Amino acid sequence: MVVTLAAEALGLAPVQAYLADLQQRQLIPLGSPAEALAVDDSAGGWAYRKQDLHIEEDGRAITVWLPLIDGAERLGVVSASTPAMDPSFLVRCRALAALLAPVITSKRAYKDSVVQRTRTEPMGLPAEMLRALLPPRTIGTPRIVSTAVMEPAYEIGGDAYDHALTTSTLHAAVVDAMGHDLSSGLTATVTMAACRNARRTGSDLNELTTAVDMALGEWLPDQFCTAVLAQLDLATGALRWINCGHPPPLLVRGSRLVSEAMEREPDVPMGLPALLTDAPRTVHQIALEPGDRVLLHTDGITEARLADGAEFGAHRFAQAVIHAASTGEPAPETLRRLIHSVLDASENRLRDDATILLLEWNPPLS
């Protein structure tokens, strides 16, 4: 209804809005019986992948495809057709896309019909609980983009991610709770809530981990989780992080994986293990260069199994990262291709939750 009213007000008809499904493989029509579109093989998919205008002509009409982007998060696409193109038509199409994106975001918070359109199968209870806590998949400004994906999309159990911006800092985290059930989801939920609560009072990285340790020790004493918590200074590119028993982050510079750039001795996981030692955690630091991409990930990525039973492994993951980064596409599309390469290689049979968060730093040229 909103799409129709907005289109009529702008003098555009016919129009069709599509939302990306949870795994970003399809574009699902919103509020109409139109067919779904493949993200990887359609005109609408091109606009979604490239986050840019795409014009299609079939001899009878011209169709304009525009991505629906709210802030930095891409939601889907909108199409509008006309028998003849003129500059005002494009202006009105862009106005429609700019109007619809924040409206769709707001409606997702309370309209199940919008959420249901992005799901292609039933969701497990732990996944439902965790996803209610998660921030948007992508956040950012012209200076920084942070984007994340989680699989198996409908059965995620103990993984979680978080990212948030202040005027000077990007805060990012990836968490992997012990197990793969509802208690794992509760552990990840308490971890993220404790981390946010401390962060919003101005706590530093060590204070964040202490807050999580105390919360898990009090409320879930038999549970623990691994994590990487990071803070990026948006002005200088100084990236600080703590590794709590987690796989090390990866640094991609240009189209090259910088080997062992962020490998450090990990500290103990958060929760009970930390309460049994007085040793302070170590804050690591690295200076990013403009255009650098950093990936935080859980071990479900490298432990995925190939069709022959072999482990996907760190080397294959590194090669997949390099290949995805070499396309020159926007960070969200790079990450979408990366997670799909892992899923396709393992025939969608993950042994554990697999989460990746990618951040890209692009400061203004001086």
Side-chain angles (χ1 to χ4, degrees):
M1 179 64 72
V2 173
V3 176
T4 302
L5 290 175
E8 290 177 350
L10 289 166
L12 297 170
V15 300
Q16 177 63 60
Y18 297 80
L19 298 182
D21 78 303
L22 199 56
Q23 294 178 298
Q24 301 182 86
R25 291 188 183 273
Q26 299 181 67
L27 294 167
I28 312 295
L30 183 61
S32 89
E35 293 185 1
L37 306 175
V39 170
D40 287 315
D41 187 25
S42 67
W46 192 99
Y48 180 81
R49 297 193 313 269
K50 304 296 184 180
Q51 299 180 204
D52 202 358
L53 165 75
H54 183 68
I55 299 176
E56 184 181 37
E57 186 173 4
D58 65 4
R60 294 172 298 174
I62 298 171
T63 301
V64 171
W65 296 88
L66 280 166
L68 294 172
I69 302 176
D70 184 24
E73 184 181 20
R74 54 185 187 173
L75 308 173
V77 297
V78 63
S79 68
S81 297
T82 181
M85 180 75 70
D86 61 58
S88 70
F89 181 78
L90 282 179
V91 170
R92 285 178 285 140
C93 287
R94 293 187 186 278
L96 178 65
L99 172 66
L100 290 181
V103 170
I104 291 170
T105 295
S106 67
K107 288 187 177 295
R108 284 190 307 183
Y110 65 89
K111 289 200 70 170
D112 282 353
S113 58
V114 176
V115 175
Q116 288 169 338
R117 299 301 290 171
T118 64
R119 297 184 181 183
T120 58
E121 59 184 87
M123 182 170 290
L125 180 57
E128 192 76 63
M129 179 178 64
L130 275 171
R131 288 193 177 278
L133 174 77
L134 296 177
R137 182 161 47 207
T138 304
I139 64 171
T141 68
R143 178 172 292 183
I144 181 69
V145 173
S146 179
T147 184
V149 290
M150 300 173 69
E151 290 287 348
Y154 298 92
E155 295 295 335
I156 202 81
D159 277 14
Y161 70 86
D162 196 19
H163 44 203
L165 283 166
T166 69
T167 55
S168 62
T169 307
L170 169 73
H171 301 269
V174 164
V175 171
D176 185 358
M178 175 186 69
H180 192 270
D181 52 23
L182 189 59
S183 62
S184 305
L186 286 170
T187 302
T189 299
V190 170
T191 297
M192 299 308 294
C195 185
R196 288 175 179 173
N197 183 254
R199 187 183 73 216
R200 289 165 179 170
T201 62
S203 298
D204 200 9
L205 283 174
N206 259 316
E207 295 168 318
L208 297 186
T209 57
T210 299
V212 174
D213 293 335
M214 299 303 295
L216 292 180
E218 179 178 359
W219 299 104
L220 296 167
D222 296 327
Q223 297 290 314
F224 64 89
C225 65
T226 67
V228 170
L229 307 181
Q231 294 177 343
L232 174 65
D233 187 306
L234 301 181
T236 67
L239 178 67
R240 303 167 63 245
W241 78 97
I242 291 178
N243 186 336
C244 303
H246 204 74
L250 301 177
L251 174 63
V252 177
R253 182 162 289 159
S255 298
R256 181 175 62 89
L257 183 68
V258 184
S259 178
E260 301 181 359
M262 299 182 70
E263 291 192 12
R264 306 288 189 276
E265 186 68 26
D267 290 314
V268 297
M270 297 191 290
L272 181 61
L275 299 177
L276 299 177
T277 177
D278 294 328
R281 287 191 173 86
T282 304
V283 178
H284 309 289
Q285 182 166 326
I286 190 172
L288 298 187
E289 296 181 4
D292 278 357
R293 291 177 170 181
V294 175
L295 290 93
L296 315 181
H297 65 95
T298 61
D299 57 13
I301 294 290
T302 53
E303 292 177 358
R305 292 288 179 180
L306 304 177
D308 61 4
E311 198 170 74
F312 191 75
H315 178 72
R316 282 190 181 89
F317 181 51
Q319 293 300 312
V321 169
I322 294 169
H323 177 73
S326 67
T327 63
E329 293 176 316
E333 180 60 20
T334 296
L335 192 55
R336 188 190 75 90
R337 290 187 180 278
L338 176 56
I339 193 65
H340 286 178
S341 70
V342 175
L343 290 172
D344 293 345
S346 63
E347 297 185 333
N348 290 312
R349 296 191 302 233
L350 296 176
R351 296 195 305 166
D352 195 6
D353 297 342
T355 299
I356 314 174
L357 183 147
L358 182 155
L359 63 90
E360 180 179 16
W361 182 58
N362 283 300
L365 299 175
S366 56

